[in-house]
Amino acid sequence: MRAGYGGNQTTWRRSKKKLSKPEYKGIDQDFLAILQQHTAGAPMNSSIRWTYLKPHEIVSELLKKGYSVSRNIVRYLLKKHHYVKRKAQKNITMGDHPDRNAQFENISQLKQSYLDEGNPVISMDTKKKELLGTFYRHGSLYTQAAIQTNDHDFPSSATGSVIPHGFYDLKLNTGYITLGTSHDTSEFACDSLSQWWINEGIIHYPKAKSLLILCDGGGSNSSRHYIFKEDLQKTANALGVEIRIVHYPPYTSKYNPIENRFFPHVTRACEGVVFDSIETVKTLIARTSTSTGLTTVVNILDKIYETGRKYATDFKEKMPIVFDEHLPKWNYRAIPQK
């Protein structure tokens, strides 16, 4: 099968042969003329065009011009003129920062340094909050009967919610998900980090002197919030290990390894299945794996987290957090206090 064409090779050849008949002379020009009236494009790249017409709509327009064609013929013409069915890709950075490249270089150097020294390099982020209940979820499954779900996703109809907080180990190619049932707060993020270290990290890195955590700059681990730094310091004190935080610059969180090496596979493992309970979610995510060796561990953290917490009044003045001299707003360490 040819990419972007809805038929097999035989159908492709039949379409090409049919269009070679005299009565179809000029169909290419008429086809393009139809699309020209219903085509949009990228303002900065004239080579990128798209049409919002469906194959059956193009068939109708060609019939008006006297051509007896099928949807397969139209699909052939679309492919012939380089119109291939594709999904839009979220790759355009919506903003830039003067220190962007410097921070990327810093991240690259720190990652290599930690890996060379045998210390863990962990990518951290939170997936979208999901409602628990009989709600529709994107994807399809092999079933003996259609799965029935609510026709609206009203939060008031949910039996609860689940917040998947994830870690991805760059060296071991392993994922760890903590399923929260309350709110995505800085305390939840740090408790999830503690769970990973106690259940996985210390086992694989018993001699680790420092943890390198890669994360974006917003949400529960915001680079601008002192409450995260205060909770991080408490976590370092409790675990007895240094924690180095490195934030990706604004608008670049898609480069965080967890976003492309782990979370897409988690999404795939859960496609189409109704999240009727947190145990179901745990079972599904635990199945996340790849042919290249990715494995996943899942834990439930059933704890109530308070929103709107404030850091201690004297924390900012007495803060033991050690900021790097280079780009300190995105790079700092929580060193265990005796």
Side-chain angles (χ1 to χ4, degrees), residues 311-325:
Y311 59 86
T313 54
D314 61 345
F315 176 75
K316 192 173 179 180
E317 289 72 26
K318 301 180 179 180
M319 180 170 47
I321 295 290
V322 178
F323 292 88
D324 289 6
E325 292 184 5

Side-chain angles (χ1 to χ4, degrees), residues 127-281:
K127 277 182 68 64
K128 181 176 71 73
K129 181 179 181 179
E130 300 273 4
L131 295 176
L132 297 177
T134 315
F135 299 110
Y136 171 83
R137 299 192 67 259
H138 177 74
S140 58
L141 300 168
Y142 287 102
T143 67
Q144 292 183 319
I147 298 174
Q148 304 298 319
T149 62
N150 299 339
D151 57 356
H152 287 83
D153 295 343
F154 294 131
S156 59
S157 302
T159 58
S161 61
V162 58
I163 304 167
H165 190 282
F167 296 93
Y168 174 72
D169 187 317
L170 274 67
K171 179 182 179 181
L172 300 180
N173 189 28
T174 58
Y176 187 92
I177 293 281
T178 299
L179 299 177
T181 57
S182 180
H183 300 285
D184 184 22
T185 67
S186 62
E187 186 181 10
F188 171 58
C190 289
D191 282 352
S192 299
L193 176 57
S194 295
Q195 293 255 348
W196 168 80
W197 176 249
I198 293 170
N199 295 329
E200 295 290 318
I202 199 171
I203 297 173
H204 299 291
Y205 302 96
K207 298 181 180 180
K209 297 180 179 179
S210 181
L211 316 179
L212 178 62
I213 309 296
L214 311 177
C215 55
D216 58 27
S220 56
N221 49 247
S222 174
S223 61
R224 296 175 286 106
H225 293 170
Y226 284 99
I227 188 64
F228 172 63
K229 294 177 176 64
E230 184 178 43
D231 288 337
L232 186 72
Q233 184 63 57
K234 292 177 182 177
T235 302
N237 294 345
L239 300 180
V241 63
E242 177 185 280
I243 304 173
R244 177 186 283 273
I245 296 293
V246 176
H247 293 281
Y248 279 86
Y251 308 108
T252 64
S253 60
K254 62 179 176 287
Y255 294 103
N256 196 357
I258 195 171
E259 294 287 352
N260 48 71
R261 299 188 194 178
F262 182 43
F263 279 170
H265 303 297
V266 174
T267 299
R268 176 177 50 80
C270 299
E271 277 186 334
V273 182
V274 175
F275 283 178
D276 54 4
S277 70
I278 195 167
E279 287 76 18
T280 297
V281 180

Side-chain angles (χ1 to χ4, degrees), residues 50-114:
W50 60 88
T51 181
Y52 46 82
L53 289 179
K54 305 296 183 185
H56 73 273
E57 295 173 320
I58 300 175
V59 168
S60 297
E61 293 299 319
L62 286 172
L63 287 173
K64 294 177 185 178
K65 293 182 177 293
Y67 299 105
S68 176
V69 296
S70 64
R71 295 188 188 186
N72 281 334
I73 294 288
V74 167
R75 292 190 182 100
Y76 168 79
L77 288 169
L78 285 167
K79 174 64 177 177
K80 179 181 178 181
H81 293 285
H82 311 295
Y83 284 88
V84 179
K85 196 172 185 179
R86 300 181 176 94
K87 290 183 178 180
Q89 298 178 358
K90 294 183 178 181
N91 287 330
I92 300 176
T93 300
M94 295 182 63
D96 201 358
H97 194 284
D99 295 324
R100 178 183 185 273
N101 290 341
Q103 179 64 351
F104 270 96
E105 291 176 3
N106 183 52
I107 291 173
S108 179
Q109 292 171 5
L110 283 172
K111 283 197 302 185
Q112 193 58 54
S113 174
Y114 269 67

Side-chain angles (χ1 to χ4, degrees), residues 1-10 12-13 16 76 79 84:
M1 181 182 293
R2 297 181 181 233
Y5 179 63
N8 56 30
Q9 293 290 340
T10 301
W12 177 274
R13 288 193 294 269
K16 186 176 182 180
Y76 168 79
K79 174 64 177 177
V84 179

